[in-house]
Amino acid sequence: MRKIALLVGNNEYEMESAKLNCAVNDADALAQKLQDLDFDVEVLRNTSYTDMGVGIASFKRNLCNYEVGLFFFAGHGFQFDGNNYLAMIDTSFVDEGSARYTSFPLNDAINAMESSDLAIKILVIDACRQGGFGGTRGMSRGLAPVFAPKGTLIAFATSPGQAAKEANNHGFFTSAILQHIGVPNLKVEEVFKRVRNSVYVMSAGTQITWEHTSLMGDFTFNAMKCKHLDEDYSRYALADCEYECLPDSKCFDWIKAAKSYNYNIQNPIIGEMLRFRRELLKENINDLFVLGRNLYQASINAFYITNFFDDLHNNLKLFDKGIVKHILNGMAYEIYFNKNGKLRKHFKTHKYKVVLQELLSAEHIESRNFITNKLSEYSQKVVYIPGGETIELEVHLTEYEEEYVEERLYCPEKILLGDINVMYNSEGVEWYKDFNWYGSINGNLSTLIECIREEIVASQRGLRISYKANDCFDEETSQITIPRDFQLLRYTN
């Protein structure tokens, strides 16, 4: 999961009484912490109104390449008529109009993130600092309550009317964030709960942080992954549309052939791999990983490669275990991730069962850990992770009448994971509503269960399905029309 952050720290306000000591330190320290947690970070220090506009515009353009976004501001903040503003160093407090039009509206940052495809949106506002900035009529130091759009958490340093305190080169709020943000496997809501407790103690009860949240999924800043022995693959292997083997690599010709989409060129790959299997021990792990990806892709139409997958368990035993690990990692990764290294909207499932069987076996635990690590970054979306908890889904079936069809017909109306509907439309932006005959298939309850298994790449043991229907429904004989234009997601964006 790719993460980006824009941090702003303002100390050098033009009004002498408004100058601060710690805001830039806060932005710099949090930037370093976020970089350690794999965020791509930009820091704006002592920012003018104009530079802030340029910075937020650039941030907004970049959001399309990320799944998690974070905006942080340290400095002065205030409200006019229920609207929140962040003071830039050149903000004028001569009168209400000057203050409003030379400050940055907090809603602009919220809107920039809301209009993106980010799955997780976090805004952290360490404003309302102690220190005077004038007594302009109508202006209140405390920030007003805000609406948090879907998928957003907005954290404030203070409750309304309070001032944010500083000590030891940091604001209390940021100091507490730095203390708790790196705790392994701590959900973001729990991070800010611990921050609130720490700030309350540091301020002797005079400063209480608060949050508005509408997050739909889970997010942890420091998700500790399962340990595996592999060094990680290069970003060019994970996004293999840009990958190039060295010409003297044995894998070079095989990857090129696998990418050809010509089965006459693809079919000889397996024989060549067996012929040179000893030489494969010398191959770069990235080459082997990309080879595994492209073998899985080619198995959809190249019959020799298809046959290789049909008996994958025994065929993998023909190669050294160290080689198999990287090739199997590539096969598994190809199921879930596209050529740009992004999670697929619909997983590639033509041979998923045999690959999943290998991942769940004791001898390939390192490959299972590898794909678990990758998928855990998308836990707010992915319904089932290989080797993870058993998933229990409840399918709600509704009966409908179709002209010229005598028997009763049913279709899934919603699919619940606990009390959450996980059945979304093909774009994954809203719950599935309007049944679409195009591409649908007919079958019974067993057919539906198989379609759901395939949709989330789940083993039989990893998935339990119950159903709700009217009293006329019969598990064996009732016909179910199953749409194909849906996704199963824990939460949408």
Side-chain angles (χ1 to χ4, degrees):
M1 181 178 290
R2 297 195 64 195
K3 299 171 284 190
I4 186 173
L6 174 64
L7 298 93
V8 182
N10 286 343
N11 283 342
E12 300 300 322
Y13 287 92
E14 292 180 356
M15 182 180 294
E16 190 64 31
S17 63
K19 291 184 183 296
L20 296 171
N21 297 317
C22 303
V24 172
N25 287 343
D26 287 341
D28 285 339
L30 184 57
Q32 182 59 59
K33 197 70 159 180
L34 291 172
Q35 286 176 334
D36 293 342
L37 297 171
D38 298 325
F39 277 77
D40 292 335
V41 175
E42 181 179 3
V43 182
L44 302 179
R45 303 172 184 87
N46 296 318
T47 308
S48 68
Y49 174 79
T50 300
D51 289 342
M52 185 64 189
V54 172
I56 201 71
S58 175
F59 180 60
K60 182 178 180 179
R61 286 194 299 270
N62 290 328
L63 293 180
C64 61
N65 299 314
Y66 296 85
E67 289 79 39
V68 178
L70 184 147
F71 173 81
F72 171 84
F73 176 81
H76 286 303
F78 52 89
Q79 63 162 297
F80 277 118
D81 297 330
N83 295 310
N84 295 314
Y85 298 88
L86 307 178
M88 300 297 105
I89 61 169
D90 55 354
T91 292
S92 170
F93 296 102
V94 172
D95 52 41
E96 176 182 336
S98 298
R100 279 195 299 168
Y101 294 116
T102 57
S103 298
F104 182 77
L106 177 57
N107 278 340
D108 284 8
I110 296 172
N111 293 338
M113 300 177 81
E114 183 184 9
S115 63
S116 73
D117 292 329
L118 292 172
I120 302 291
K121 314 170 187 78
I122 302 170
L123 295 97
V124 181
I125 311 301
D126 195 350
C128 308
R129 298 290 180 112
Q130 287 182 317
F133 47 77
T136 305
R137 187 175 60 184
M139 184 174 69
S140 172
R141 181 189 302 276
L143 295 179
V146 294
F147 168 74
K150 185 176 68 174
T152 303
L153 183 146
I154 307 176
F156 292 96
T158 70
S159 296
Q162 294 179 336
K165 298 174 176 62
E166 299 179 333
N168 300 321
N169 295 318
H170 287 298
F172 284 178
F173 184 48
T174 300
S175 179
I177 292 172
L178 294 171
Q179 178 183 349
H180 298 296
I181 196 173
V183 175
N185 298 322
L186 197 63
K187 292 181 181 179
V188 61
E189 295 91 345
E190 184 63 29
V191 168
F192 284 103
K193 185 183 294 183
R194 293 192 183 189
V195 166
R196 179 158 45 254
N197 290 334
S198 295
V199 170
Y200 185 84
V201 171
M202 285 189 282
S203 68
T206 61
Q207 182 178 338
I208 302 175
T209 67
W210 61 320
E211 299 89 47
H212 296 280
T213 181
S214 63
L215 287 180
M216 301 293 289
D218 295 331
F219 174 70
T220 59
F221 285 102
N222 187 14
M224 295 297 288
K225 300 178 180 180
C226 302
K227 292 183 178 179
H228 59 92
L229 301 180
D230 297 336
E231 57 183 291
D232 207 359
Y233 301 107
S234 74
R235 66 183 183 90
Y236 296 107
L238 297 173
D240 70 333
C241 65
E242 301 178 4
Y243 189 76
E244 292 182 0
C245 288
L246 295 175
D248 59 351
S249 162
K250 288 291 182 185
C251 294
F252 178 84
D253 290 332
W254 301 335
I255 292 173
K256 183 179 179 182
K259 288 178 176 287
S260 70
Y261 296 99
N262 183 328
Y263 64 84
N264 289 317
I265 298 174
Q266 294 170 328
N267 276 325
I269 295 174
I270 299 299
E272 288 289 300
M273 286 175 60
L274 290 170
R275 180 183 173 193
F276 293 103
R277 54 188 162 186
R278 292 188 181 276
E279 283 84 346
L280 283 174
L281 290 167
K282 303 175 184 177
E283 293 295 287
N284 182 278
I285 64 170
N286 290 293
D287 293 350
L288 294 170
F289 176 80
V290 175
L291 176 62
R293 294 193 65 172
N294 285 278
L295 286 175
Y296 186 86
Q297 166 63 31
S299 68
I300 198 169
N301 67 327
F303 51 89
Y304 284 168
I305 301 178
T306 300
N307 292 342
F308 180 84
F309 276 83
D310 287 341
D311 193 16
L312 184 64
H313 181 72
N314 289 319
N315 286 328
L316 288 178
K317 290 184 176 181
L318 299 174
F319 299 90
D320 182 91
K321 289 184 178 179
I323 294 169
V324 169
K325 177 173 60 179
H326 301 298
I327 291 176
L328 183 58
N329 287 354
M331 292 174 178
Y333 194 81
E334 183 68 17
I335 291 175
Y336 296 99
F337 295 91
N338 65 19
K339 64 182 181 180
N340 297 310
K342 291 192 172 185
L343 191 73
R344 297 182 186 277
K345 285 188 175 181
H346 294 283
F347 300 143
K348 190 180 286 188
T349 56
H350 58 278
K351 289 293 181 183
Y352 86 92
K353 289 183 179 179
V354 291
V355 175
L356 188 59
Q357 182 178 352
E358 295 307 304
L359 292 175
L360 296 176
S361 67
E363 59 192 296
H364 295 306
I365 189 170
E366 291 181 33
S367 291
R368 181 167 73 248
N369 286 345
F370 166 77
I371 201 63
T372 296
N373 288 343
K374 296 301 179 184
L375 292 176
S376 64
E377 299 178 5
Y378 298 87
S379 59
Q380 82 283 359
K381 282 184 173 290
V382 178
V383 173
Y384 173 77
I385 294 178
E389 62 180 355
T390 298
I391 299 301
E392 297 186 8
L393 298 177
E394 183 180 78
V395 181
H396 288 227
L397 296 167
T398 184
E399 184 181 358
Y400 66 96
E401 295 181 0
E402 179 63 23
E403 192 176 3
Y404 309 120
V405 178
E406 295 183 359
E407 68 268 24
R408 295 176 181 274
L409 293 176
Y410 294 83
C411 67
E413 180 182 26
K414 57 184 176 181
I415 300 175
L416 300 183
L417 174 61
D419 58 354
I420 301 170
N421 185 9
V422 296
M423 188 177 185
Y424 289 89
N425 62 10
S426 58
E427 290 77 27
V429 295
E430 59 182 19
W431 284 310
Y432 190 87
K433 294 179 181 178
D434 301 319
F435 181 81
N436 186 356
W437 280 92
Y438 181 78
S440 63
I441 61 174
N442 292 323
N444 57 17
L445 186 62
S446 296
T447 311
L448 174 61
I449 290 173
E450 187 63 28
C451 288
I452 293 174
R453 275 188 63 201
E454 181 175 334
E455 174 65 23
I456 63 175
V457 189
S459 65
Q460 287 183 328
R461 290 186 177 184
L463 177 65
R464 297 195 190 105
I465 295 182
S466 59
Y467 69 90
K468 281 190 175 181
N470 61 27
D471 293 338
C472 297
F473 181 80
D474 183 89
E475 291 185 9
E476 295 184 0
T477 62
S478 292
Q479 291 293 299
I480 301 176
T481 299
I482 306 163
R484 302 298 281 174
D485 60 334
F486 71 93
Q487 294 187 66
L488 295 182
L489 304 170
R490 281 186 181 265
Y491 304 96
T492 188
N493 290 347

